[in-house]
Amino acid sequence: TKENNGDFHFPKSTTNNGTSKRRRQRTEQNDSTKLLLALLAGAGGAFLLAIVVLMSRLEAEHGGGGISGGLAGLQPQGAAGVDDQIYLEEVAQGHASPALMLHGAKNDRQSNLINAIERLKGGYKARLGQFQKLAGIRGDSLKDNPMNKIVKEAVDNLDAMEGALEGEGEMPKKLDIKQDFLNMLNSEKGKNTHESMADRFDKNKGAAETADSKQPPHLYPRFPPLPPHLMAVQEFGEQIITDTLNNKPTIAGIIAILQTFLSHIHAMEVEKKSATAHQVIDAYFSIIDKDLVPFERAYRGRPIFPIREDSSIFMSLGAYRDHLLGETLRQAFKNAKHPERLFVGAVVQNCFGIDVQCRTGVEVKGKDEHGNPITAVSDRPPDVNGIEQFCTDPEYSKYCDSGQIRALYVNETESNGPTTARYFASKLWGGETYFLQADAHLRFAPEWDRQYEEEVKAAKSYPKSVLSSYPPGFSEGDPPYKGGSKGTRLCTCEFSTSDVEHKIIRINTGNNCRGEEEHPTQIAYIAAGFFFARAEFLVDVPFDPFLPWCFMGEEIALSLRAWTHGWDIYAPRKNLIAHQYRPGRMGLPKFWENTGRVFGRPGPGFNTELQTITLQRIKHMVGYEEATPTNLENHGNSIVLTDYEHYGPGEARTMDAFLEHTRIDVKQFKCGYIDWCNECTLE
Ligand SMILES: *[C@@H]1O[C@H](CO)[C@@H](O)[C@H](O)[C@H]1NC(C)=O
């Protein structure tokens, strides 16, 4: 994991990280309500699909007359959307009066609010489009669209808010979108037109089903990537889980299993808010045991789906509050030679703003008198949903309609680092020929897909060859990425000297080759942020669910597991992707800050405590003295060896051979010079 390569510091102190007075209380709500709240809260999504689904669900739950009854039980405070929030903030700050705004030049906060308003307007309009499409409303008949009025009013209202923020006119009276929506449903009901809407929806769904039934059976029923928070079990019933555990796997069933796990983690975090690190890990591991292990066991040693030989590529993306996810998807499809063969499994760990106040990362606000940075964490609107950006873009929505985008949404509160996100994303694989794992902030060179396929096949060890590298960097203003520079090579490592990383091995780049080699040559390590291999990799080196809260360490584990299972690692001769490197000073949010908030201990400290324990699993794998079974037991850490036999080194090659191959001396904490890697001599 290289985001902070060479620039990895936990913040020393943060100010203003106390509890926000606006933080919502957790409330018990049924899932339909949550779905609706998510929509109203501006969390995004294929708005109407959800409304129609919701309408029919509510009707089923409450009999014919139940829509208003079902909605009447909503907790009003839960529906505070971005627009409510903007309004309240403005009132609280006394900005709601235009007189106060006249002299103030636009400050950052104001322009942030205006940006949020712009996003919200875009979101509403996109939903209106989705609504039209899904409800089968065609062409110009916009006036027939019952949502049109609500959206128009909301947008006008936002326009007026924007005006007021810029000093023109009054802050408008607050609009209650939820009430409008309720009224709309009721009047639709009065007119009985909601039935015809539902009919139209059924017709569309019917058409999609016919198209789907031509797909490989496991891709059906298809789980739509929007809206967020759609619960697979509610859509398709518990049976999809049972089927998936009994040799009839579906992606929808897998998503249902992962969602069940996440909701249990959610409840555990509430219950264990004040628990010790060991108690939290015990609870977490026992939820894995209950919810994930039966699924893991059902497909051990074989692929979950038959592997298709059609040169399809599955791209696994673990995204944490990533503002570049949508753009990364666009770039990948736009530059692919065969976009129709590209499939994505995205794990979107976002702050959705449901029941929680979203917070920024640790941002540098200035310097104190000694020249040290002054940092702060502040409130912010919910994150943009990259899947929504991509799927509502007319140029790309077809890939969402065709089922090429699979998404699992994870509340930020349940996110616990890259290893877990990548475990989830790997499970969204649906039988594609190749597995590609990447970061969610990348750019792609033209025909990158064809070139990687050729490259992985050109490696002597194919089919057991893995391509990997730390890609070159890009900045947001750069021209389109062309690729073609000499491939970087992962040929060095070091034992971390950072306090919080406890001497874990970090991998790094070494020499470049001339770039004219006849075949790709081997390197020592796999980078988690980019690798490409045949999908059999997932059978030999299944992702490990037992590594929550880890940051560094996943790459050495991945490398040693792959190699000892008989896979050889190669650097692509040319770079075909570029990566946005993100030093700490960018102030982006980090998962360890979330861990601190969730467990009521703001700052990175509690995550470090948890990581110190779970990292022992990787240290045990590498052979650190401190992590022998006896030492683990003496420190009460034996739990980290749970199911270790399935996620440790392989049997094709020994660990001693790996340490020799990579010149790692784990007794002396030293990484030696790897001649064959730096000199490009091993094909
Ligand atoms: C995500 O968070 C919301 C709000 O707290 C909660 O209602 C929902 O159950 C969470 N999702 C899962 C899968 O636990």
Side-chain angles (χ1 to χ4, degrees):
T1 306
K2 66 205 153 305
E3 265 84 335
N4 291 279
N5 208 5
D7 200 358
F8 179 69
H9 304 292
F10 283 126
K12 287 225 165 38
S13 69
T14 59
T15 57
N16 186 27
N17 48 17
T19 310
S20 156
K21 65 177 182 300
R22 281 193 311 285
R23 188 157 304 166
R24 322 263 169 235
Q25 287 184 328
R26 285 177 192 279
T27 48
E28 283 297 314
Q29 292 141 356
N30 69 35
D31 285 320
S32 315
T33 311
K34 280 183 238 163
L35 181 58
L36 178 62
L37 292 184
L39 291 162
L40 294 174
F47 194 28
L48 225 281
L49 169 63
I51 290 179
V52 179
V53 169
L54 183 75
M55 280 169 64
S56 36
R57 186 182 302 151
L58 287 173
E59 283 203 296
E61 278 171 17
H62 300 278
I67 291 185
S68 49
L71 290 171
L74 296 183
Q75 300 282 347
Q77 73 273 24
V82 182
D83 41 0
D84 286 12
Q85 188 184 319
I86 292 167
Y87 185 84
L88 291 175
E89 279 190 24
E90 284 309 296
V91 173
Q93 311 252 337
H95 286 176
S97 152
L100 288 172
M101 303 286 299
L102 285 174
H103 307 289
K106 260 196 239 170
N107 59 26
D108 280 358
R109 237 186 106 265
Q110 248 170 286
S111 38
N112 284 344
L113 287 174
I114 290 175
N115 287 341
I117 289 175
E118 288 301 329
R119 275 208 305 275
L120 208 58
K121 282 195 281 192
Y124 283 146
K125 287 180 177 156
R127 281 173 210 166
L128 189 64
Q130 286 274 337
F131 174 86
Q132 242 172 295
K133 195 160 138 199
L134 289 162
I137 300 169
R138 274 179 225 299
D140 307 327
S141 54
L142 209 63
K143 63 178 176 346
D144 298 337
N145 186 334
M147 284 297 291
N148 191 35
K149 190 164 160 285
I150 296 177
V151 172
K152 184 172 177 315
E153 265 177 39
V155 169
D156 287 351
N157 190 49
L158 287 167
D159 278 340
M161 270 193 202
E162 196 173 354
L165 283 168
E166 280 167 344
E168 282 164 30
E170 302 246 333
M171 189 53 95
K173 193 170 83 48
K174 192 157 81 97
L175 250 198
D176 191 342
I177 298 178
K178 189 179 69 174
Q179 190 56 48
D180 290 348
F181 175 72
L182 267 174
N183 295 345
M184 188 267 289
L185 283 189
N186 280 330
S187 80
E188 287 292 322
K189 195 171 149 45
K191 287 188 282 166
N192 258 342
T193 48
H194 72 284
E195 266 150 332
S196 64
M197 231 157 69
D199 286 350
R200 272 180 288 175
F201 173 71
D202 279 346
K203 239 191 283 154
N204 277 334
K205 204 169 144 202
E209 277 170 15
T210 326
D212 271 355
S213 59
K214 291 193 204 103
Q215 296 224 354
H218 57 269
L219 297 180
Y220 179 81
R222 183 193 294 162
F223 188 78
L226 288 175
H229 309 292
L230 203 60
M231 295 300 278
V233 161
Q234 292 207 340
E235 284 302 292
F236 305 111
E238 289 281 346
Q239 188 64 27
I240 46 168
I241 293 188
T242 324
D243 284 349
T244 297
L245 295 178
N246 289 289
N247 255 325
K248 278 182 277 169
T250 56
I251 300 273
I254 293 171
I255 290 179
I257 290 169
L258 301 179
Q259 287 176 332
T260 306
F261 171 71
L262 284 166
S263 62
H264 289 149
I265 296 298
H266 188 86
M268 179 277 279
E269 288 172 350
V270 176
E271 194 194 322
K272 301 278 177 207
K273 194 167 171 105
S274 326
T276 64
H278 277 104
Q279 289 165 339
V280 170
I281 288 172
D282 280 357
Y284 189 93
F285 277 33
S286 70
I287 298 172
I288 302 183
D289 205 45
K290 187 156 141 291
D291 290 340
L292 300 179
V293 167
F295 171 48
E296 291 288 296
R297 198 181 288 137
Y299 296 96
R300 213 155 256 155
R302 63 189 177 112
I304 300 176
F305 300 110
I307 299 176
R308 305 198 293 277
E309 288 301 333
D310 58 0
S311 293
S312 49
I313 296 175
F314 172 79
M315 181 155 70
S316 148
L317 294 176
Y320 175 73
R321 304 188 65 180
D322 205 312
H323 61 286
L324 287 187
L325 170 64
E327 191 50 29
T328 299
L329 292 173
R330 286 192 191 109
Q331 290 279 324
F333 279 87
K334 181 181 184 152
N335 290 299
K337 170 144 190 322
H338 292 293
E340 74 285 0
R341 296 184 198 155
L342 179 58
F343 292 75
V344 171
V347 171
V348 184
Q349 308 167 96
N350 267 5
C351 179
F352 298 96
I354 318 167
D355 292 356
V356 288
Q357 170 60 54
C358 301
R359 305 277 279 162
T360 62
V362 179
E363 297 175 314
V364 177
K365 295 290 183 190
K367 286 201 168 128
D368 68 11
E369 71 238 45
H370 309 292
N372 299 321
I374 303 171
T375 59
V377 178
S378 357
D379 290 353
R380 54 156 292 160
D383 300 319
V384 292
N385 177 2
I387 300 292
E388 183 179 9
Q389 288 179 324
F390 180 79
C391 290
T392 54
D393 185 329
E395 223 175 295
Y396 300 100
S397 59
K398 58 177 183 256
Y399 302 116
C400 303
D401 298 341
S402 63
Q404 283 168 261
I405 307 291
R406 307 169 192 142
L408 175 74
Y409 293 91
V410 177
N411 289 322
E412 184 192 19
T413 44
E414 280 88 77
S415 66
N416 63 31
T419 41
T420 306
R422 283 165 180 152
Y423 166 82
F424 291 148
S426 76
K427 297 299 181 201
L428 302 177
W429 172 78
E432 289 75 28
T433 319
Y434 297 102
F435 179 82
L436 160 60
Q437 177 168 289
D439 281 336
H441 31 275
L442 294 182
R443 287 190 177 171
F444 297 78
E447 302 202 3
W448 62 272
D449 50 338
R450 177 187 61 78
Q451 299 190 66
Y452 277 138
E453 182 180 16
E454 284 172 8
E455 191 72 358
V456 83
K457 287 181 164 170
K460 285 243 164 110
S461 309
Y462 182 82
K464 290 192 100 173
S465 49
V466 185
L467 301 176
S468 188
S469 68
Y470 275 176
F474 74 84
S475 313
E476 274 173 67
D478 287 355
Y481 180 63
K482 290 276 167 251
S485 55
K486 282 181 209 166
T488 52
R489 302 174 60 79
L490 298 165
C491 290
T492 59
C493 77
E494 61 177 336
F495 284 78
S496 175
T497 52
S498 142
D499 288 349
V500 296
E501 290 173 17
H502 313 281
K503 292 202 161 58
I504 195 66
I505 297 176
R506 301 176 56 149
I507 68 171
N508 218 327
T509 50
N511 293 343
N512 283 351
C513 300
R514 281 170 298 124
E516 297 141 17
E517 291 69 24
E518 216 174 299
H519 295 279
T521 55
Q522 292 190 40
I523 52 174
Y525 305 111
I526 297 180
F530 167 70
F531 74 87
F532 184 93
R534 281 193 57 96
E536 287 83 355
F537 186 89
L538 291 175
V539 178
D540 284 355
V541 192
F543 279 75
D544 186 349
F546 292 95
L547 286 173
W549 300 293
C550 285
F551 187 65
M552 285 297 160
E554 64 170 329
E555 299 184 318
I556 186 68
L558 199 57
S559 310
L560 77 84
R561 292 181 61 205
W563 195 81
T564 55
H565 274 98
W567 291 73
D568 286 335
I569 311 162
Y570 290 85
R573 283 167 292 179
K574 285 195 241 159
N575 292 315
L576 298 169
I577 53 174
H579 174 266
Q580 186 185 50
Y581 287 90
R582 299 175 153 183
R585 64 181 169 274
M586 278 174 84
L588 294 174
K590 305 283 186 233
F591 80 86
W592 52 77
E593 294 155 6
N594 168 68
T595 308
R597 281 194 287 273
V598 164
F599 291 99
R601 285 157 256 200
F606 191 55
N607 196 86
T608 305
E609 270 185 57
L610 293 162
Q611 166 174 262
T612 307
I613 301 168
T614 49
L615 214 47
Q616 297 280 319
R617 185 173 176 90
I618 295 177
K619 291 186 168 178
H620 177 79
M621 224 177 272
V622 181
Y624 286 61
E625 174 68 24
E626 65 174 274
T628 58
T630 319
N631 284 340
L632 287 174
E633 198 178 327
N634 290 343
H635 291 97
N637 287 337
S638 299
I639 190 168
V640 303
L641 296 187
T642 308
D643 283 4
Y644 175 75
E645 63 276 26
H646 305 299
Y647 307 98
E651 286 176 352
R653 293 159 172 162
T654 64
M655 263 312 287
D656 282 347
F658 177 78
L659 296 175
E660 170 59 35
H661 181 65
T662 52
R663 317 285 194 259
I664 292 176
D665 182 341
V666 66
K667 298 256 169 341
Q668 307 284 326
F669 300 122
K670 287 210 173 86
C671 293
Y673 176 76
I674 315 173
D675 47 357
W676 57 265
C677 189
N678 281 294
E679 290 153 27
C680 316
T681 51
L682 185 60
E683 284 193 344

